[in-house]
Amino acid sequence: MEKRIERDERIVKLMIQKYCVNFHNSDILCSECDDLLNYSVKHLLECPFEENKPVCSQCTIYCYSKSYRNKIKQVMRFAGPKMIYEHPKDTILYFFDKLRYRFRSVKINKPN
Ligand SMILES: [Zn+2]
């Protein structure tokens, strides 16, 4: 089975591509979006929660810097709703992760 971080990496890539095609008219990622993707993947790989990772919008760490957080928010807002039609399985898994995190009683604290 696909690892949690691998799936998130694949999804964030899809979403940034969608955003870039639409707003920057670029078939391959423009330098700004490429930078955002690298930044996102780097943070995913460093995410201390690994398989128990909450979806990023619910995370308590906020590992993104402010400017990157604003950029990725725009990407999610645009590409998120489109994912339901084009990648329904991933979207269902995403909501499952979201619920699983919400109903878990364990509090996630920032690891040392
Ligand atoms: Zn772009």
Side-chain angles (χ1 to χ4, degrees), residues 16 19-21 23-24 26 29-34:
I16 293 174
Y19 182 85
C20 192
V21 167
F23 289 97
H24 306 144
S26 178
L29 289 183
C30 69
S31 58
E32 188 192 337
C33 292
D34 192 48

Side-chain angles (χ1 to χ4, degrees), residues 24-96:
H24 306 144
N25 261 318
S26 178
D27 284 339
I28 50 157
L29 289 183
C30 69
S31 58
E32 188 192 337
C33 292
D34 192 48
D35 179 53
L36 178 62
L37 177 63
N38 285 332
Y39 185 89
S40 305
V41 170
K42 181 173 167 280
H43 281 79
L44 268 178
L45 295 176
E46 287 172 358
C47 180
F49 301 128
E50 297 181 350
E51 289 301 298
N52 289 319
K53 185 183 158 304
V55 297
C56 288
S57 61
Q58 292 174 316
C59 193
T60 48
I61 289 188
Y62 299 119
C63 65
Y64 282 36
S65 75
K66 200 165 180 244
S67 69
Y68 280 102
R69 205 185 317 154
N70 285 334
K71 277 189 202 175
I72 200 76
K73 263 188 188 167
Q74 284 182 351
V75 169
M76 301 277 168
R77 206 175 297 151
F78 169 77
K82 294 180 169 47
M83 295 292 288
I84 297 170
Y85 300 104
E86 291 168 37
H87 303 276
K89 190 178 154 228
D90 287 327
T91 310
I92 288 164
L93 287 170
Y94 173 85
F95 282 114
F96 178 72

